[in-house]
Amino acid sequence: MVPTEVRKAYVATRLRAFGALVQLQRALRPGEAGAWVTHSRFLRVVLAAAAAEEAKARPGFLDEWKRAFPAGFAISNAGISCVDVSERGVFSLRCVNA
């Protein structure tokens, strides 16, 4: 079982990650691309937050995500991960570790 403090810290980090995605999305005009540089641990949380949002719009997505990126998968140093945002604000993962 995950200790309560660890769970609370993860939830807080995930809220920060999702908030950062939303801020980046709001800073861009339609058709523009943005870049965000971060450490792999935080990037894992960002990607999980984006995946959770995509799963709301696309049933079955989380099963795909879990198969493609099992627990403990490595985020490459200097790897590129892409998150698209639709005009309706729906996040979708385009690539991870490209």
Side-chain angles (χ1 to χ4, degrees):
M1 183 169 206
V2 178
T4 303
E5 309 83 48
V6 172
R7 190 172 310 142
K8 284 181 183 178
Y10 177 78
V11 169
T13 301
R14 187 165 172 162
L15 288 172
R16 276 188 23 233
F18 185 71
L21 278 175
V22 170
Q23 279 185 308
L24 181 60
Q25 183 249 342
R26 287 180 179 162
L28 300 172
R29 291 186 207 108
E32 283 187 326
W36 184 18
V37 179
T38 188
H39 295 280
S40 63
R41 288 185 186 261
F42 191 66
L43 180 58
R44 283 176 179 277
V45 178
V46 168
L47 294 175
E53 287 301 305
E54 184 167 358
K56 290 177 186 176
R58 196 160 64 94
F61 174 78
L62 282 184
D63 291 331
E64 294 174 32
W65 170 264
K66 289 175 185 177
R67 280 192 303 277
F69 307 105
F73 80 94
I75 296 287
S76 301
N77 287 333
I80 296 173
S81 298
C82 303
V83 178
D84 290 331
V85 184
S86 74
E87 289 182 16
R88 296 181 328 203
V90 176
F91 293 95
S92 63
L93 296 169
R94 184 170 14 127
C95 65
V96 176
N97 278 342

